[in-house]
Amino acid sequence: MQRQHSHADRLSLLRNVQTAWQLLTEHVLTPMLLLDIDATIILTNPAVQTLLGSHNTGSSLFGLLNDTDARTAQRCLDALVSSGAEQRFIARYSSKQTGLGFYTHVLSPIKHDQQIIAIMAQLSNLHDQPLGAGSIAFTGNLAIATDNGDAQNTLARMQTLSSALEQTADLVMITDRDGKIEYVNPAFEQVTGYNRDEIAHKTPRFLNSGKQDRSFYKNLWETILGGDPFTEVFINKRKDGSVFYEEKTITPIRDSQGAIAHFVATGKDISERMRTQERMQFLTHHDTLTKLPNRSLFMDRLRQAIARARWHHRMVAVIIVDLDRFHELNDRHGQHHCDHILLQLGKRLSHSVRSGDTVARFGSDEFAVLLEDMASEKDVLQLAKKLLDTLVAPFTVDNIDHALTASLGVSIFPTDGEDAETLLRNADVAVYRAKDLGRNNYQFYSNELSARVFERLTMENALRHALVRDELQLLYQPQFDIRTHTIIGVEALLRWRHPQMGLISPGDFIPILEETGLIAPVGEWVLRQACTQAQRWHQAGIKNLSMAVNVSGRQFNNPDFSTNITNIITSTGITPGLLELELTESMLMRNASKTVSALNTLHHIGVTIAVDDFGTGYSSLNYLRRFPISSLKIDRSFIRDIAEDSDDAAIATAIIVMGQSLNLKVIAEGVETQQQLDFLYQRGCYFIQGNLLASARSAEDIQALLINHHSTVSG
Ligand code: C2E
Ligand code: MG
Ligand code: MG
């Protein structure tokens, strides 16, 4: 849509162009006039004054010409206005300094909104131009054969510049020396949303978005006041408050005395480019799926964390979290489905760490956690546990629940490495070990965490899964009555068959079970398993075989213990009297008065009680008398040296005598030699458990043994 410009419109537009005009034409030697379309002189540059002396702006160009030239000029002007095309003609001027001279006039239209609002006349002295013979004619559109490079080029450039200023897509702003705005072009208005009138004579401070600090602007002013151009990306604010990026050059313009008079700022709106760059930046440092930092950003942060930790003497931990068997899930449900699992996992992990810590995704199902400012290994350990726990709840995608586990590898600065690469590598090593150890656990790389602690951690981890993975097993060791050579019962002994660590004896893991509370489910499993086996043998015709089961302190102290026993007896069908609970002497004596009632409850259920490891603790004979117990088991340590050590012999003898006097069955365990057996027999101890007669063995082996022995107690 074209708009008709009134004379007033044109003048106002021209005023805006005025500053630009002055700047552009001031230093040019070519005489230049800015004319209204009716040939009124609006502005001239200093070169015109040099040529013609002073004259009045506001007068007509025609007044400077003789009649003939004026008519030519009029024709050319008309042609220009009607066609919009550039016109040339030659006209004479008489000047005091140069005398009469012929000048080529190039009339260029200056347009706004497609309308010609002014005309620029550029004059060049014909005497300076080598002309072809007969080529001069006093007409419009005069073609001048010339290679007058400089003058012509300057003319062409100036002409282009003046209209370009208004039409360019670049933002142009001209200020005075104090930074007060004198001119802005339409592109500036369009991008910033400000109208030129509302910002005239203001400083461009309204563009300030506050996103660049004072030093930025200080540097800017120092540069341009020093006379140098300043080029930078400005983060500016539009009228509507939105931010845009402007790549801008501010050039100081000097006046004829060489003093800085103006600043011209030309800029480009590069917001789109910057946004792309920012996105690129984000993409190169983040995982596209989870939007978590990727490996490269993680490594950056790790390096920084190490530098800080070194300074503050703190620890930094790297934990690699690798999902177990994720590829199987991927194969079964497809990548898209599994992406949602990874998204959920990323969120869960992020929620379990502090805000300063980093959770990154390295790719596929591998995540990494960076823990800063840790005080001790214990803290790290706790977090590793916590991370493992975040996987316990199922991951639900499309109404399908997925139970997932992960293997975690931990390395710690400074013990496991001084630099980021080493720490990551060692955390990786630890992950592999975690996978090796049957997954769903965490491993520390550390050589310096003491081997024991390390073993503890490893075991504790692995123990959590021993039950579910069916790694626990009961062996049974026969107890003999050597008077009749019969097997009167067996003791159930727990074994842990770890796939990598092999057979682990209960002494090494029962304390851990107790500490972690895992003894509750494991203890119950042992009882149920033993009773089931006893009942199976009973049903196979092996009658009256007692089943001794070891009970730990924590199990015994559990208020639900007797209820559990009752339940197990009921559900397995075992005759209560065949179940013998082995409680250690120290357990019973620890809180003897409470023990009495607990034992009474068990006694009422019908089970029998044996005091295990007897002789190693301090027994109150008074209590021993009041406890409803049926057997004493002489601790292995007294049996071992019974034949050589007179003290041991004396203790063993005393226990036997005391047991008999209390009417208790006395069992000697750990009998390995004939000598020991003979000694015990001579003292009247007939109940023997030990490798000499039979070691602990599987249920099948026991069954074979029992059938061979045949002579099982008949009752
Ligand atoms: P304990 O109840 O005193 O069990 C007897 C231990 O002596 C068993 O060791 C057995 O294998 C061992 N032994 C038997 N005869 C001989 C022998 O002739 N020579 C030698 N050197 N050792 C012999 P084990 O199976 O390693 O069990 C150690 C301890 O672990 C048990 O001592 C018991 O206190 C505990 N334990 C075993 N199974 C369980 C269980 O299911 N629950 C609980 N709470 N504790 C258990
Ligand atoms: Mg025992
Ligand atoms: Mg014992």
Side-chain angles (χ1 to χ4, degrees):
M1 260 252 296
Q2 287 192 11
R3 188 156 60 94
Q4 289 295 318
H5 291 285
S6 69
H7 186 68
D9 270 341
R10 285 206 306 273
L11 281 179
S12 117
L13 284 168
L14 284 167
R15 260 197 296 283
N16 286 325
V17 179
Q18 178 174 338
T19 325
W21 164 269
Q22 277 172 344
L23 289 168
L24 293 169
T25 59
E26 217 155 46
H27 305 288
V28 182
L29 294 175
T30 310
M32 298 170 82
L33 302 101
L34 188 64
L35 309 174
D36 201 348
I37 48 172
D38 58 9
T40 312
I41 299 171
I42 300 165
L43 288 168
T44 57
N45 73 344
V48 172
Q49 275 133 58
T50 314
L51 174 67
L52 301 173
S54 63
H55 64 276
N56 291 329
T57 50
S59 61
S60 170
L61 172 73
F62 302 143
L64 298 172
L65 306 172
N66 70 22
D67 289 349
T68 319
D69 288 353
R71 273 196 299 280
T72 311
Q74 180 70 67
R75 257 204 326 276
C76 287
L77 267 173
D78 291 345
L80 183 146
V81 170
S82 63
S83 73
E86 183 184 273
Q87 303 291 321
R88 287 163 188 247
F89 67 96
I90 292 173
R92 284 154 287 194
Y93 292 97
S94 67
S95 146
K96 289 206 174 71
Q97 282 115 353
T98 56
L100 186 68
F102 286 93
Y103 287 85
T104 306
H105 288 60
V106 180
L107 302 181
S108 314
I110 295 178
K111 293 179 181 172
H112 183 80
D113 289 358
Q114 309 287 322
Q115 296 274 302
I116 297 169
I117 58 161
I119 293 154
M120 178 162 64
Q122 303 165 73
L123 278 50
S124 50
N125 191 342
L126 222 52
H127 295 304
D128 298 335
Q129 305 176 2
L131 294 173
S135 66
I136 301 167
F138 292 97
T139 66
N141 298 323
L142 175 75
I144 299 167
T146 174
D147 62 87
N148 170 11
D150 272 0
Q152 287 290 58
N153 283 345
T154 311
L155 284 175
R157 225 180 308 136
M158 296 321 295
Q159 168 197 339
T160 316
L161 272 173
S162 61
S163 56
L165 214 53
E166 280 285 300
Q167 286 167 33
T168 179
D170 288 357
L171 287 71
V172 180
M173 173 172 70
I174 297 169
T175 71
D176 64 14
R177 192 188 189 285
D178 300 326
K180 301 246 168 57
I181 295 172
E182 294 189 351
Y183 169 79
V184 293
N185 72 343
F188 181 98
E189 292 180 308
Q190 203 201 326
V191 170
T192 64
Y194 288 103
N195 178 285
R196 37 178 83 157
D197 294 335
E198 63 183 315
I199 57 175
H201 308 302
K202 289 187 180 159
T203 63
R205 207 164 292 143
F206 54 85
L207 292 173
N208 195 332
S209 66
K211 291 193 186 293
Q212 281 159 317
D213 57 12
R214 283 182 51 205
S215 67
F216 176 85
Y217 293 100
K218 188 164 170 267
N219 182 22
L220 154 69
W221 279 106
E222 276 172 10
T223 308
I224 58 176
L225 288 175
D228 294 318
F230 178 85
T231 303
E232 253 306 343
V233 174
F234 286 68
I235 307 174
N236 282 340
K237 193 178 66 185
R238 291 182 237 269
K239 190 174 181 182
D240 65 10
S242 61
V243 164
F244 69 104
Y245 291 88
E246 188 186 355
E247 189 174 64
K248 175 142 88 173
T249 298
I250 304 178
T251 313
I253 307 284
R254 295 174 189 277
D255 62 17
S256 45
Q257 275 82 51
I260 293 169
H262 288 91
F263 298 107
V264 177
T266 54
K268 266 187 179 24
D269 179 2
I270 55 161
S271 304
E272 199 44 53
R273 198 170 88 203
M274 290 301 282
R275 266 193 288 277
T276 313
Q277 242 174 41
E278 271 171 11
R279 269 209 41 227
M280 300 276 289
Q281 181 84 351
F282 185 86
L283 287 180
T284 50
H285 291 297
H286 291 82
D287 166 47
T288 37
L289 174 67
T290 59
K291 307 286 181 287
L292 291 172
N294 64 8
R295 184 189 289 263
S296 94
L297 183 55
F298 182 88
M299 290 305 274
D300 268 1
R301 294 204 182 155
L302 178 54
R303 281 182 208 107
Q304 288 164 19
I306 289 172
R308 279 192 292 271
R310 193 171 276 137
W311 182 255
H312 296 292
H313 302 288
R314 303 284 284 184
M315 288 178 180
V316 174
V318 173
I319 304 182
I320 292 183
V321 180
D322 198 301
L323 282 177
D324 296 329
R325 304 203 161 87
F326 188 67
H327 63 275
E328 289 172 16
L329 216 60
N330 234 330
D331 292 347
R332 198 159 348 119
H333 297 281
Q335 192 183 336
H336 180 72
H337 184 92
C338 291
D339 277 354
H340 288 280
I341 296 178
L342 294 173
L343 273 170
Q344 288 179 31
L345 176 61
K347 286 206 185 97
R348 288 191 194 181
L349 294 177
S350 300
H351 285 142
S352 350
V353 301
R354 299 165 305 180
S355 62
D357 297 328
T358 298
V359 175
R361 180 173 174 234
F362 281 5
S364 154
D365 58 336
E366 196 185 13
F367 291 76
V369 180
L370 166 61
L371 304 174
E372 277 202 57
D373 201 26
M374 304 305 282
S376 72
E377 275 121 1
K378 238 184 98 204
D379 294 352
V380 180
L381 181 88
Q382 237 126 40
L383 221 121
K385 273 186 190 164
K386 195 171 161 193
L387 292 175
L388 211 54
D389 283 347
T390 60
L391 281 101
V392 171
F395 291 75
T396 311
V397 179
D398 298 337
N399 292 322
I400 304 176
D401 282 354
H402 300 286
L404 287 183
T405 60
S407 301
L408 274 59
V410 187
S411 68
I412 295 174
F413 168 88
T415 20
D416 302 335
E418 290 274 330
D419 60 87
E421 284 70 23
T422 313
L423 283 172
L424 198 65
R425 201 170 47 242
N426 289 344
D428 253 334
V429 170
V431 170
Y432 282 116
R433 194 157 56 211
K435 295 257 178 212
D436 267 0
L437 288 174
R439 303 182 162 85
N440 196 12
N441 71 110
Y442 49 83
Q443 292 297 314
F444 280 69
Y445 176 78
S446 188
N447 326 316
E448 292 207 11
L449 277 183
S450 79
R452 270 206 68 79
V453 172
F454 177 70
E455 254 174 41
R456 269 294 303 257
L457 295 177
T458 310
M459 274 224 235
E460 184 182 324
N461 250 311
L463 264 175
R464 292 182 183 277
H465 314 291
L467 245 188
V468 228
R469 293 216 190 90
D470 223 12
E471 291 169 3
L472 297 180
Q473 189 194 352
L474 287 185
L475 296 185
Y476 303 90
Q477 185 173 35
Q479 298 170 334
F480 291 84
D481 180 341
I482 48 174
R483 292 168 304 188
T484 55
H485 298 283
T486 52
I487 296 173
I488 51 159
V490 294
E491 179 181 5
L493 295 167
L494 184 59
R495 293 291 177 270
W496 177 19
R497 274 180 207 285
H498 188 277
Q500 276 78 34
M501 297 189 274
L503 199 66
I504 304 173
S505 59
D508 289 334
F509 66 88
I510 284 184
I512 303 175
L513 289 180
E514 287 218 306
E515 234 175 72
T516 55
L518 283 167
I519 193 69
V522 172
E524 193 176 328
W525 177 85
V526 169
L527 274 161
R528 194 171 291 277
Q529 184 76 12
C531 292
T532 306
Q533 187 57 57
Q535 184 60 9
R536 220 174 267 153
W537 281 326
H538 182 77
Q539 281 165 353
I542 303 161
K543 307 288 180 194
N544 296 330
L545 186 73
S546 78
M547 173 63 76
V549 177
N550 294 283
V551 173
S552 86
R554 191 153 168 183
Q555 242 180 314
F556 180 61
N557 291 329
N558 185 339
D560 294 334
F561 183 63
S562 56
T563 319
N564 284 345
I565 296 287
T566 312
N567 288 341
I568 289 166
I569 289 170
T570 314
S571 62
T572 57
I574 187 176
T575 311
L578 291 181
L579 176 59
E580 184 168 56
L581 301 177
E582 291 194 5
L583 306 164
T584 63
E585 186 183 17
S586 49
M587 255 167 66
L588 293 176
M589 294 300 164
R590 203 169 296 141
N591 189 350
S593 56
K594 244 180 99 182
T595 301
V596 178
S597 68
L599 290 184
N600 281 333
T601 311
L602 292 172
H603 185 65
H604 281 119
I605 296 170
V607 299
T608 57
I609 311 288
V611 183
D612 203 353
D613 302 347
F614 194 81
T616 56
Y618 297 95
S619 275
S620 149
L621 273 179
N622 181 30
Y623 273 115
L624 215 51
R625 211 166 37 82
R626 289 167 53 193
F627 288 158
I629 50 181
S630 51
S631 338
L632 290 183
K633 296 185 79 176
I634 309 172
D635 191 68
R636 222 166 62 210
S637 57
F638 303 112
I639 306 298
R640 192 172 48 222
D641 298 326
I642 213 169
E644 297 90 40
D645 189 315
S646 54
D647 286 348
D648 285 351
I651 293 171
T653 308
I655 293 172
I656 297 166
V657 173
M658 189 191 67
Q660 284 163 349
S661 69
L662 288 172
N663 208 14
L664 299 173
K665 190 162 88 184
V666 178
I667 305 171
E669 60 180 358
V671 177
E672 290 178 331
T673 65
Q674 189 61 45
Q675 258 178 314
Q676 293 164 347
L677 188 76
D678 292 344
F679 180 96
L680 291 163
Y681 187 79
Q682 283 153 23
R683 304 288 184 294
C685 176
Y686 307 122
F687 301 107
I688 303 293
Q689 181 183 346
N691 291 351
L692 176 68
L693 301 179
S695 60
R697 55 197 68 195
S698 69
E700 299 79 56
D701 291 352
I702 290 286
Q703 188 151 344
L705 195 70
L706 288 169
I707 289 163
N708 284 342
H709 255 78
H710 236 359
S711 45
T712 308
V713 186
S714 52

